[in-house]
Amino acid sequence: YYADQMGYDTEEGIDIVPQEFASGAPMNESFAAGELDAADMGPAAVHAVGKFDAKVIAQNARQVAVNLMVKSDSPLLAQQDENGVYGSADLIRGMTIMGPSGTYAHYLIIGYLNYFGLTIDDVNYVNMEYPQAMQAFELGDGDICCMQNPNVYDAKQKGYVSLGDPAVVAPMYENLVCSGKIYAEDPDTVVKFLKVVYRAQEDFLKDDKLAA
């Protein structure tokens, strides 16, 4: 979206049409329908590549932009380990955790639980897309909510707290993916797309406020 607004795409001779998705799952549906040329995806890219002939063209970040968030009065904040991760098996067991299944959020939840020797059967996992989960959480439902940027920034401003660096409990690269069709038929456009994305990212890396 930022690269498109700045005109970086037209400078390279391509036209990016930004489209938002709630998570990687509906992106896969669009790849399957031939309606998507490229995307920024977490682990849901496994399905795009395995089932729908998409290609991973780059690893885009060392961590997917999702956090496990709690409210400032959460009992989980009473314990924090040497890695900066909040919680304990006894405190977590039986809690309600919300986030979309089949995505990095699901993987992050499992990783967080495994970190404390638990499984997803030890909690009440509610499968909800990010916007619905955050809305429910703000209305008082659930104990832990998976939130995706930019909502993580907003949540922290509201006083919500991250349970720790996701890279500690569930490391996962973010991927840039394109359709098999455009990869085979127009590789020059794929290269231009990468140049545009990385140019935008360089701007973000220089300016935290802009990135937020």
Side-chain angles (χ1 to χ4, degrees):
Y1 173 79
Y2 171 79
D4 179 60
Q5 293 298 304
M6 296 297 292
Y8 293 168
D9 53 344
T10 54
E11 289 181 27
E12 289 292 337
I14 63 175
D15 181 20
I16 292 177
V17 181
Q19 184 172 349
E20 284 191 47
F21 291 84
S23 67
M27 288 183 189
N28 282 323
E29 295 173 8
S30 289
F31 271 124
E35 298 173 348
L36 191 60
D37 295 312
D40 181 300
M41 303 179 73
V46 170
H47 301 291
V49 172
K51 297 178 182 178
F52 309 125
D53 193 37
K55 308 294 182 184
V56 174
I57 53 176
Q59 289 183 320
N60 194 34
R62 291 187 176 89
Q63 186 56 50
V64 180
V66 176
N67 273 254
L68 292 172
M69 305 296 291
V70 296
K71 293 175 181 171
S72 58
D73 60 354
S74 170
L76 295 176
L77 301 180
Q79 292 193 34
Q80 185 180 35
D81 69 10
E82 65 278 4
N83 295 319
V85 180
Y86 288 102
S88 70
D90 290 339
L91 292 171
I92 297 165
R93 190 177 285 107
M95 284 190 165
T96 296
I97 308 178
M98 303 180 296
S101 66
T103 68
Y104 175 73
H106 197 177
Y107 178 76
L108 176 58
I109 291 168
I110 292 171
Y112 177 72
L113 295 172
N114 288 347
Y115 185 82
F116 290 103
L118 301 174
T119 72
I120 206 156
D121 293 330
D122 293 307
V123 298
N124 176 31
Y125 170 54
V126 181
N127 174 22
M128 299 178 73
E129 290 289 353
Y130 293 112
Q132 290 76 19
M134 185 170 181
Q135 183 179 33
F137 191 64
E138 291 188 332
L139 291 174
D141 293 335
D143 302 294
I144 303 172
C145 183
C146 279
M147 297 184 190
Q148 188 178 42
N149 281 344
N151 290 334
V152 172
Y153 293 116
D154 298 333
K156 289 180 177 178
Q157 290 178 356
K158 294 176 182 178
Y160 297 168
V161 180
S162 170
L163 289 176
D165 185 353
V168 173
V169 296
M172 173 64 70
Y173 279 85
E174 188 87 1
N175 306 287
L176 287 175
V177 182
C178 75
S179 72
K181 184 176 186 294
I182 197 170
Y183 183 86
E185 297 179 2
D186 195 358
D188 288 344
T189 292
V190 175
V191 172
K192 291 175 181 178
F193 172 73
L194 287 175
K195 289 175 68 176
V196 167
V197 172
Y198 284 132
R199 182 177 175 186
Q201 288 191 340
E202 286 172 0
D203 289 353
F204 295 148
L205 290 171
K206 294 173 184 174
D207 188 339
D208 287 343
K209 186 176 180 180
L210 174 64

